[in-house]
Amino acid sequence: MVRDETRFANAVGRIRVLERKMMDKGKLERLMDARGPDEALKILQEAGYETDDGSNTAWDYERILDNRMKGIYDYLKKISPDPDIIDLFLYRQDFHNAKVILKSLFKLPEEGKEIRPFICYGTIPADELEKCINERKLNEIPSFLRGAVDECFESFGKKNDPQEIDIILDNAMFRQMSSKAADIRNDFIIKLVRIMVDLVNIKTFIRLKIMNKPLSFFQRVLFDYGTIPVSSFMTSIEKPLESILEGIKLGPYTFVCEEGLDGYFNNESLAKLELLSDNYIMSFIKQAKYIALGPEPLIAYLLAYENEIKNIRIIMIGKTSKIPNDIIAERLRDMYV
């Protein structure tokens, strides 16, 4: 059945107006040139990053950014003729929140410190999800998440390994996103999800190789929902780090991988690989600028806004931690506008 993409005409028109209000490179540079976190907050407020209570300080930036992102999701669901398309990307927040809840329940603070706390937006309110999990009312959790949470209880009870939570929930998340993308039957969305999986697999593969993990572990944490078969990664398991990419059909990701590894060899950090992965997604979604009808502009705007907020967060962390501007600039992602 052919989908009627003209349904999105009104929504796309609204998005085109909003795109012109997004931060461009000049606005981001102005934020970075702020003399301190308080001045940076004022610049953010001028750009519309405010909350209703008016009591914000520079140290509230996480709350300000989360509230703004929640507002974007709510607005997109309101204007989209097919809100399920927005839910596909909200699933990431649901699974993140489930991780936080389970790790807290199993008393794993050393793990929880490395991930962000509750995200205030998702398809399931975080407080409701927490109540259901803590009280073991799993039948009240939506089916796409219920089975994975149940498996976490069973697996952690047997192995007492916090990594089980990440492995189970990440696999379930990409399975759900891939399934929903297939149901939507939009080539842009299907390819976007596959790109996300490919990049996660590449980053995971390189990270585990650096950690010298065994073959059995690789087989459990790589996901078969992308364009690069998991079997392709397996051919390079035994190779030295300098040549692990040989034999893997990386295709369009070759530059990301080679430059990302060079970054690791130069400073023993995978930060460049993370940055290049984000930039690759940004490059892909920019094609939506030229699509007049369909869900593509809505999804591109959503991910572009997430990217804008990631850049703002990098700058605000830099300002509150007194990190020099040249170092902050090296960490910034490409902008959509």
Side-chain angles (χ1 to χ4, degrees):
M1 182 178 68
V2 178
R3 295 172 64 89
D4 179 15
E5 304 298 34
T6 61
R7 299 176 301 139
F8 289 88
N10 181 268
V12 172
R14 296 188 186 194
I15 290 301
R16 296 307 182 210
V17 173
L18 292 175
E19 284 176 348
R20 293 196 288 270
K21 300 179 181 179
M22 295 185 71
M23 279 197 167
D24 56 19
K25 187 176 181 181
K27 292 177 182 177
L28 205 67
E29 287 177 350
R30 182 180 171 225
L31 181 65
M32 190 166 61
D33 288 339
R35 288 169 291 185
D38 290 332
E39 183 176 319
L41 180 64
K42 289 180 181 178
I43 294 172
L44 275 183
Q45 289 173 330
E46 291 171 5
Y49 282 83
E50 300 183 80
T51 53
D52 295 334
D53 59 22
S55 62
N56 302 321
T57 70
W59 307 98
D60 289 329
Y61 69 86
E62 284 288 6
R63 178 169 59 86
I64 295 169
L65 297 181
D66 276 352
N67 286 341
R68 184 58 177 268
M69 199 66 235
K70 181 181 184 302
I72 296 297
Y73 269 104
D74 289 345
Y75 181 74
L76 289 175
K77 289 194 69 170
K78 179 180 177 181
I79 68 171
S80 174
D82 189 353
D84 283 354
I85 290 173
I86 309 303
D87 282 346
L88 189 156
F89 296 92
L90 277 171
Y91 292 143
R92 295 171 297 165
Q93 278 61 259
D94 294 327
F95 282 94
H96 169 87
N97 286 339
K99 283 184 185 181
V100 175
I101 295 164
L102 286 165
K103 290 184 178 185
S104 175
L105 184 63
F106 295 141
K107 302 189 187 307
L108 302 171
E110 72 284 355
E111 290 288 322
K113 285 190 298 186
E114 298 181 2
I115 60 175
R116 293 184 64 213
F118 279 149
I119 296 176
C120 65
Y121 47 93
T123 67
I124 315 162
D127 55 347
E128 290 182 17
L129 182 60
E130 182 177 32
K131 186 174 186 294
C132 290
I133 292 177
N134 286 343
E135 296 179 6
R136 307 295 201 278
K137 295 179 179 179
L138 304 190
N139 61 312
E140 297 181 15
I141 298 175
S143 58
F144 74 84
L145 182 57
R146 183 191 311 139
V149 171
D150 190 31
E151 186 179 351
C152 285
F153 276 113
E154 182 178 355
S155 182
F156 187 80
K158 292 178 180 178
K159 300 183 180 181
N160 202 37
D161 182 357
Q163 285 184 320
E164 288 296 303
I165 296 172
D166 293 317
I167 293 170
I168 293 168
L169 290 177
D170 285 345
N171 186 65
M173 179 186 72
F174 284 121
R175 181 171 62 246
Q176 173 65 14
M177 291 180 69
S178 299
S179 175
K180 178 63 76 171
D183 290 342
I184 293 170
R185 300 190 303 279
N186 177 277
D187 290 342
F188 175 88
I189 294 175
I190 290 171
K191 188 171 183 180
L192 175 58
V193 173
R194 288 175 177 169
I195 287 171
M196 288 178 169
V197 175
D198 285 338
L199 291 171
V200 166
N201 277 344
I202 288 168
K203 291 183 288 186
T204 300
F205 177 75
I206 293 174
R207 187 173 290 110
L208 295 183
K209 181 63 181 179
I210 292 171
M211 297 168 65
N212 200 30
K213 288 287 186 178
L215 172 64
S216 58
F217 196 79
F218 281 85
Q219 292 171 327
R220 295 198 63 216
V221 298
L222 296 178
F223 311 116
D224 235 338
Y225 311 112
T227 63
I228 304 175
V230 171
S231 58
S232 180
F233 289 100
M234 296 300 106
T235 62
S236 296
I237 289 290
E238 303 301 330
K239 293 181 179 178
L241 186 59
E242 293 78 2
S243 57
I244 59 170
L245 300 180
E246 296 175 7
I248 303 176
K249 297 178 181 178
L250 293 170
Y253 309 113
T254 300
F255 175 79
V256 172
C257 296
E258 290 179 349
E259 292 297 308
L261 266 183
D262 282 346
Y264 174 77
F265 291 132
N266 288 333
N267 56 30
E268 294 189 347
S269 169
L270 292 177
K272 189 172 184 180
L273 179 63
E274 292 282 355
L275 182 148
L276 291 171
S277 297
D278 289 346
N279 286 351
Y280 186 93
I281 292 175
M282 187 56 49
S283 177
F284 173 78
I285 66 172
K286 282 182 179 180
Q287 65 182 282
K289 291 181 178 182
Y290 310 103
I291 298 175
L293 297 173
E296 294 91 341
L298 279 71
I299 298 307
Y301 178 75
L302 170 62
L303 296 186
Y305 220 102
E306 289 184 345
N307 184 71
E308 176 175 310
I309 284 182
K310 180 178 288 187
N311 277 335
I312 292 172
R313 182 174 285 113
I314 289 169
I315 292 173
M316 293 304 294
I317 289 172
K319 292 301 173 184
T320 54
S321 303
K322 298 183 179 180
I323 298 172
N325 277 2
D326 57 337
I327 296 178
I328 295 175
E330 291 176 357
R331 300 173 182 176
L332 296 179
R333 275 56 177 165
D334 290 344
M335 301 295 285
Y336 185 71
V337 296

